[in-house]
Amino acid sequence: MDIMELARGGLPFEDIFLVDMHCHLGAYNSLYIPYIEESEQALQYSRTMGRMGVNYSVVSMLRGLASGELSANLDLYGFMQQDEKLLGWVTYIPSLITESLDIAERCFTLTNRFIGFKVHPEINRYPIFGPDYIPMWEYAHERGLIVLAHAWGANSEPSMFREIAAKYSNAKILLGHCGGREPEISAAIQLANQYEQVYLDLNGAFIYSRLWLEHFVQRADTSKLLFSSDTMFNNVFWEIGHVAFADIPDAVKLDILGLNAKRLLAGIV
């Protein structure tokens, strides 16, 4: 199978296992996102997944993340019920500890297709190492959950996760955006190479191109590289293109596009 030629032909990746680990539904202040209604976004994205051949997408709700409307997590469950290809992140808000954990318990009881927590220290203006995140880390550690954490900015740059990774070794950490720029990118790679449970989230066409991916493959443990698009902010098609047209072996492309995620999500997908 030649993945580059498959992409050049504009064909769906029907025989490639593909998992998008970082997606959103909902509106966001000051940014244009197509289809204002969450239900319409979910419908249109499901159609996009089918056209591209995406097997699973892991979604968090922007409404919950930006406004603290934690009931959005239950709305996400409704969308997941309508489309078995959707998996879920449960939003955790550090200023709403009890409420966040209560809704998380409900979601994780409803289905194992909620795979962990999504946190955004920059939106919430609270450092990832702060005490109000400790209950979430403890919860994730006890249950072996994944935490997708935005890792780019004053409250979340990758070196801040070092003590967290050392202390909560049973919580899997997915570093969203990998720091976004140097030297933070190098810190993210070093962290993933050092800690078994730390993974790198390769999303954002505004950050990464195929050249950046080639850079990651040269320096990082490639079993830690996970494909993601940051939908609805970005287009999953061009993000897949960065992988498809990179000058890296097809076996590594297959790992990045979905096989690494399949191993991480064993028993779920």
Side-chain angles (χ1 to χ4, degrees):
M1 178 187 302
D2 189 319
I3 296 174
M4 186 183 299
E5 288 306 311
L6 190 64
R8 184 174 283 119
L11 300 175
F13 281 21
E14 293 177 342
D15 297 322
I16 294 174
F17 193 79
L18 208 164
V19 181
D20 189 341
M21 291 293 293
H22 186 159
C23 301
H24 304 284
L25 292 174
Y28 193 76
N29 289 341
S30 75
L31 289 175
Y32 170 73
I33 295 178
Y35 310 108
I36 195 67
E37 297 293 334
E38 293 166 349
S39 58
E40 184 65 18
Q41 287 183 11
L43 175 62
Q44 294 297 334
Y45 189 59
S46 291
R47 291 173 177 171
T48 297
M49 290 171 64
R51 288 196 298 270
M52 190 62 243
V54 177
N55 294 88
Y56 295 97
S57 291
V58 196
V59 177
S60 66
M61 298 295 282
L62 288 173
R63 177 161 45 96
L65 198 65
S67 68
E69 293 180 61
L70 293 169
S71 61
N73 292 297
L74 298 177
D75 296 332
L76 174 56
Y77 175 68
F79 298 136
M80 292 161 63
Q81 290 295 96
Q82 297 168 25
D83 187 346
E84 64 182 11
K85 292 183 177 181
L86 296 181
L87 308 179
W89 297 110
V90 177
T91 301
Y92 179 92
I93 306 296
S95 60
L96 298 170
I97 297 172
T98 301
E99 296 90 338
S100 293
L101 293 182
D102 284 349
I103 206 79
E105 190 67 25
R106 292 177 64 182
C107 289
F108 295 133
T109 300
L110 284 169
T111 176
N112 71 343
R113 288 167 56 211
F114 278 107
I115 66 170
F117 290 103
K118 171 69 167 92
V119 294
H120 201 306
E122 304 308 318
I123 288 178
N124 295 140
R125 299 181 182 181
Y126 189 80
I128 191 63
F129 55 78
D132 290 347
Y133 277 120
I134 290 176
M136 181 208 65
W137 289 117
E138 291 177 342
Y139 190 104
H141 174 75
E142 290 170 4
R143 292 160 179 79
L145 298 173
I146 310 169
V147 177
L148 169 56
H150 180 95
W152 181 10
N155 292 306
S156 59
E157 63 98 351
S159 66
M160 296 178 179
F161 290 84
R162 183 170 300 280
E163 291 186 11
I164 294 169
K167 185 173 183 178
Y168 303 105
S169 57
N170 199 42
K172 302 170 184 68
I173 303 170
L174 181 53
L175 297 176
H177 309 295
C178 302
R181 59 189 178 188
E182 290 289 10
E184 288 84 358
I185 288 174
S186 290
I189 292 173
Q190 183 182 41
L191 205 64
N193 287 343
Q194 180 178 355
Y195 290 95
E196 182 179 356
Q197 83 277 22
V198 177
Y199 294 80
L200 300 173
D201 164 77
L202 298 173
N203 84 52
F206 51 95
I207 315 168
Y208 305 117
S209 66
R210 68 173 183 82
L211 298 178
W212 266 113
L213 180 58
E214 293 163 10
H215 172 77
F216 270 80
V217 168
Q218 291 170 3
R219 298 180 58 200
D221 177 351
T222 58
S223 71
K224 302 296 193 67
L225 303 179
L226 300 179
F227 173 77
S228 54
S229 69
D230 212 7
T231 297
M232 291 284 167
F233 295 118
N234 297 326
N235 187 309
V236 66
F237 290 94
W238 75 52
E239 297 292 355
I240 291 170
H242 292 326
V243 182
F245 289 95
D247 186 15
I248 58 178
D250 270 9
V252 176
K253 293 179 184 179
L254 291 172
D255 281 343
I256 292 169
L257 287 170
L259 296 183
N260 288 339
K262 187 175 185 179
R263 287 184 279 268
L264 179 62
L265 301 174
I268 300 173
V269 303

